[in-house]
């Protein structure tokens, strides 16, 4: 109910008006900020899913075809750990229409099937394949190993390239502040920006 009020114009639902945005959520370590963020994302994606159901399972997984027509969210954080924690929470809840932009070596391995090319260049697929094979040797368990293998299969089938080209259709995109200027974001727009770990971000970068 409280999160619904963040997105409502009705005085009955919220005492705040749109003019008070951006909305600041703050609290001490362990206060539940990430949990609150996950609830907000669940609300946003839930509304989008009801109003614009995916055409197929494949589209929900890759975001590679068609226009979603709903709210699009960019999650930007100061660290890779923070954005990965949020996206893992989404994945655990059953939501998978998201993309992760960043350096493969620094992305949580369980999220690698959702990775895209930060920039396109000749040999990009070969470079990603090499990086993934290197990461496969450094897995700490079966779950990570399966995720890296899935990423390799997705790359080989053209799914990674399709997800990169269709980044504009993903309902949620996660990245770090430093990677938010990557080539893949050129000409991309988002309805909502969630800036996690905001107090750690230098103002010019924010």
């Amino acid at each position: 109910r409280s999160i619904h009020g963040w997105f409502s114009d009705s005085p009955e639902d919220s005492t705040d008006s749109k003019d008070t945005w951006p909305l600041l959520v703050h609290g001490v370590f362990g206060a539940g900020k990430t949990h609150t963020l996950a609830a907000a994302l669940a609300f946003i994606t839930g509304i989008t899913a009801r109003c614009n159901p995916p055409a197929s399972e494949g589209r929900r997984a890759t975001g590679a075809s068609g226009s979603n027509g709903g709210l699009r969210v960019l999650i930007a954080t100061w660290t890779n750990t923070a954005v990965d924690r949020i996206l893992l929470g989404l994945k655990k809840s059953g939501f998978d229409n998201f993309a992760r932009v960043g350096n493969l070596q620094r992305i949580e391995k369980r999220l690698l099937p959702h990775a895209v090319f930060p920039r396109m260049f000749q040999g990009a697929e070969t470079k990603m394949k090499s990086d993934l094979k290197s990461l496969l040797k450094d897995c700490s368990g079966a779950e990570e190993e399966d995720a890296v293998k899935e990423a390799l299969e997705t790359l080989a089938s053209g799914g990674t390239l399709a997800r990169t080209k269709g980044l504009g259709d993903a309902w949620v995109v996660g990245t770090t502040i430093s990677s938010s200027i990557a080539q893949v974001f050129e000409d991309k727009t988002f309805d909502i920006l969630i800036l996690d770990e905001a107090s750690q971000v230098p103002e010019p970068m924010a």
Side-chain angles (χ1 to χ4, degrees), residues 145-202:
E145 184 176 337
D146 289 344
V148 177
K149 287 180 178 178
E150 182 183 346
L152 281 165
E153 292 171 1
T154 302
L155 177 65
S157 68
T160 304
L161 180 60
R163 185 186 295 112
T164 302
K165 292 181 176 180
L167 190 65
D169 292 330
W171 290 347
V172 176
V173 178
T175 189
T176 60
I177 298 296
S178 59
S179 293
S180 64
I181 59 174
Q183 181 191 59
V184 72
F185 285 112
E186 291 181 4
D187 301 322
K188 302 296 187 300
T189 59
F190 296 87
D191 303 290
I192 298 173
L193 167 65
I194 294 178
L195 187 63
D196 194 25
E197 298 181 326
S199 62
Q200 301 180 38
V201 183

Side-chain angles (χ1 to χ4, degrees), residues 15 18-19 33 41 47 50 78 111-112 114-115 125 127 136 148 155 171 182-183 185 190 192 195-196 199 203:
T15 56
K18 290 189 295 183
D19 294 334
K33 299 183 296 296
L41 284 168
I47 293 298
R50 289 189 186 95
W78 184 238
L111 294 173
L112 287 173
H114 299 271
E125 293 186 70
K127 174 67 166 58
L136 189 59
V148 177
L155 177 65
W171 290 347
Q183 181 191 59
F185 285 112
F190 296 87
I192 298 173
L195 187 63
D196 194 25
S199 62
E203 189 172 338

Side-chain angles (χ1 to χ4, degrees), residues 46-149:
I47 293 298
T48 297
R50 289 189 186 95
C51 297
N52 305 275
S56 66
E57 290 294 320
R59 177 183 162 186
R60 182 164 64 249
T62 65
S65 62
S67 175
N68 68 53
L71 293 174
R72 299 189 62 246
V73 183
L74 174 65
I75 304 170
T77 68
W78 184 238
T79 65
N80 285 285
T81 300
V83 67
D84 287 346
R85 185 170 61 242
I86 295 168
L87 294 180
L88 281 172
L90 279 179
K91 189 169 185 176
K92 186 176 180 180
S93 72
F95 180 83
D96 62 0
N97 187 8
F98 64 83
R100 175 66 163 92
V101 179
N103 186 326
L104 288 185
Q105 303 289 342
R106 298 180 180 179
I107 295 176
E108 158 68 50
K109 290 183 177 66
R110 289 172 290 175
L111 294 173
L112 287 173
H114 299 271
V116 302
F117 297 109
R119 63 188 182 91
M120 293 303 301
F121 59 92
Q122 187 173 3
E125 293 186 70
T126 301
K127 174 67 166 58
M128 178 175 277
K129 182 178 180 180
S130 175
D131 288 344
L132 287 172
K133 285 186 174 181
S134 176
L135 289 169
L136 189 59
K137 302 175 184 177
D138 191 36
C139 293
S140 60
E143 187 177 6
E144 288 189 354
E145 184 176 337
D146 289 344
V148 177
K149 287 180 178 178

